[in-house]
Amino acid sequence: MTRAPGLLFGGRARRRWIHLILGGALAMPYVLVGSVIVGPLTGVDDVFGSLPLQLGSFAVGLPIATVTSLFPLTRPLEAGACRALCGIEGDVLAHGPARTRSERGRTAAWFTLHLGLGGILSGMSLAVPPFAVFLMLLPLFQGLRDTRLGMPEVLDHGWALALCPVAGLAMLIALAACAAACGAVLARWAPALLGPTPADRLAAAEARAADLAVRNRLARELHDSVGHALSAVTLQASAARRVLDTDPEFVREALAAIEDTSRRTVGELDAVLGVLRDGDAPGTAPAPTLAADLDGLLRRTRAAGQRVTATVDTGPAALPPLVSREAYRIVQEGLSNALKHAGQPVAVRIATADGHLDISVENPLGACPAPRPGGGHGLRGIADRVRLLGGTSQAGASGGTWHLHVRLPLKGST
């Protein structure tokens, strides 16, 4: 009982009532069209002077409303009204227009139901409250009783007159109950009639998966480029500080390498942030590739005091662009791991064989800490890149040496 007032007169009930009144307002043009048809058929000029003819006009207008609901924008407009007034979560209702025959049919059924219930309740909302107020005031004002207004003779009895306020209040409560029931019916059927189809849900899931893939790719790019740059700059600055008074030439080379690394990383960061802002990055620096940027990567790494030997038994310019780009990031991460763990010298080997690009990076473990279970973010990023290209990767320690070996297919990499 304590919940009854809230169910009938609470905020949600009032919003749903407004939603029904909106349906009645939308139904009015169709009722007028129906009256134009019913009037000549019955030979009555004033259709709205007769309740049966009003109901007949309403019945004729509803099928016309069903036909007009086939317009594509009906579904998003009705779904928006449901979200705002019926208290329905947005994800269970479709956002786009109806495209298939099934979607249009369900939208037409919803539109007809909304206008049908809304029209009936709007008529009740116009007629019942004034009459209920009249009954509640009838015992208080003799002038109202004298007008009669077609009231039954039973009201001449005192007991009937005393029950008039109770009857008026009961009518208002009954109207609120009807509005709450009709609003609950619409809220119950809205997800079924305005909800997304399996095709809509599949398209939404694909869009979310694509967005997640882009975010993961950007996270890998940021980790590999910025992480490597920070490791290299840290070691370069540390090495320069140690020999600041004894080897000025090395300090100049280290500072130049820091400047070059920072400038390049800022360009790569701008490119990634451009993708985040605009979906693409027109006019920003292209992603580094093995063909164009391997020499610079090796030079910057050596400037940090790392001894690196590189053997390239292939022509990087002949590699597919995607393989060249991902291979650069893989080599960069391998060198970054070596920089972090101070394991040197580092041996890098890049070669092609049997339609595959083989990349290996090896360095002594030195004093580096034991690998964390499952590897770090860099190794996971390498594994993700390799998996997307259909290749294989192996990483681990053996005989005091850290090995990273990656094999990428050259064919089919688009």
Side-chain angles (χ1 to χ4, degrees):
M1 290 295 294
T2 57
R3 296 181 57 191
L7 293 176
L8 298 183
F9 304 104
R12 185 174 67 175
R14 294 196 300 269
R15 287 191 296 270
R16 289 181 176 178
W17 200 334
I18 294 173
H19 185 242
L20 288 163
I21 298 299
L22 176 61
L26 292 174
M28 281 304 300
Y30 301 102
V31 175
L32 293 175
V33 174
S35 68
V36 173
I37 298 174
V38 171
L41 291 177
T42 58
V44 177
D45 294 333
D46 186 11
V47 173
F48 294 101
S50 169
L51 180 60
L53 293 182
Q54 291 181 39
L55 296 177
S57 301
F58 184 63
V60 172
L62 275 183
I64 302 174
T66 302
V67 174
T68 59
S69 68
L70 300 178
F71 287 102
L73 289 179
T74 301
R75 186 168 74 160
L77 291 175
E78 285 289 320
C82 283
R83 292 188 189 95
L85 299 174
C86 288
I88 300 175
E89 295 294 334
D91 291 340
V92 301
L93 299 179
H95 291 272
R99 294 183 177 87
T100 66
R101 181 179 301 177
S102 173
E103 292 173 352
R104 288 192 290 267
R106 291 189 293 116
T107 302
W110 164 264
F111 193 67
T112 305
L113 179 65
H114 183 200
L115 268 61
L117 293 179
I120 294 172
L121 194 82
S122 295
M124 294 173 61
S125 300
L126 289 174
V128 171
F131 184 65
V133 172
F134 173 80
L135 289 178
M136 297 170 68
L137 297 178
L138 193 61
L140 303 178
F141 297 96
Q142 180 65 38
L144 294 178
R145 295 196 296 273
D146 293 339
T147 58
R148 305 301 297 172
L149 294 177
M151 301 298 295
E153 294 182 0
V154 70
L155 292 180
D156 293 334
H157 299 282
W159 63 267
L161 201 61
L163 290 177
C164 282
V166 178
L169 181 61
M171 293 176 67
L172 292 177
I173 294 175
L175 175 61
C178 289
C182 292
V185 169
L186 290 180
R188 168 66 179 81
W189 281 98
L193 298 178
L194 294 178
T197 63
D200 292 331
R201 293 189 179 93
L202 179 60
E206 290 176 345
R208 286 193 295 269
D211 181 67
L212 182 60
V214 170
R215 289 178 180 273
N216 287 338
R217 179 175 66 83
L218 295 178
R220 288 195 303 268
E221 294 291 331
L222 285 173
H223 175 273
D224 292 348
S225 61
V226 178
H228 173 81
L230 290 176
S231 298
V233 167
T234 300
L235 288 178
Q236 288 163 349
S238 176
R241 179 180 57 82
R242 287 195 300 267
V243 298
L244 180 63
D245 298 325
T246 60
D247 194 348
E249 183 62 28
F250 178 83
V251 173
R252 280 193 292 270
E253 293 178 359
L255 291 176
I258 290 174
E259 180 184 5
D260 180 57
T261 301
S262 302
R263 183 184 298 110
R264 183 175 187 83
T265 304
V266 168
E268 294 181 12
L269 185 60
D270 285 342
V272 175
L273 294 180
V275 174
L276 285 173
R277 285 191 300 264
D278 308 320
D280 54 12
T284 57
T289 62
L290 203 65
D293 302 279
L294 177 61
D295 292 339
L297 175 63
L298 296 174
R299 183 178 66 254
R300 292 189 297 272
T301 305
R302 289 168 179 146
Q306 190 82 1
R307 299 196 303 274
V308 181
T309 60
T311 303
V312 182
D313 294 334
T314 185
L319 298 175
L322 180 59
V323 173
S324 183
R325 187 188 73 198
E326 299 301 321
Y328 175 88
R329 291 302 190 192
I330 291 169
V331 173
Q332 184 184 53
E333 180 58 31
L335 294 174
S336 180
N337 284 337
L339 284 172
K340 293 174 184 176
H341 301 313
Q344 56 176 321
V346 183
V348 178
R349 184 176 183 276
I350 303 172
T352 53
D354 301 326
H356 288 76
L357 177 68
D358 292 322
I359 302 172
S360 65
V361 181
E362 298 181 355
N363 61 279
L365 290 175
C368 68
R372 290 170 293 175
H377 294 292
L379 295 178
R380 278 205 300 271
I382 290 176
D384 289 340
R385 294 178 187 276
V386 172
R387 184 175 62 254
L388 291 174
L389 292 178
T392 59
S393 65
Q394 295 177 344
S398 175
T401 303
W402 179 264
H403 302 271
L404 171 65
H405 182 261
V406 172
R407 187 173 174 84
L408 301 176
L410 297 178
K411 294 184 178 179
S413 298
T414 58

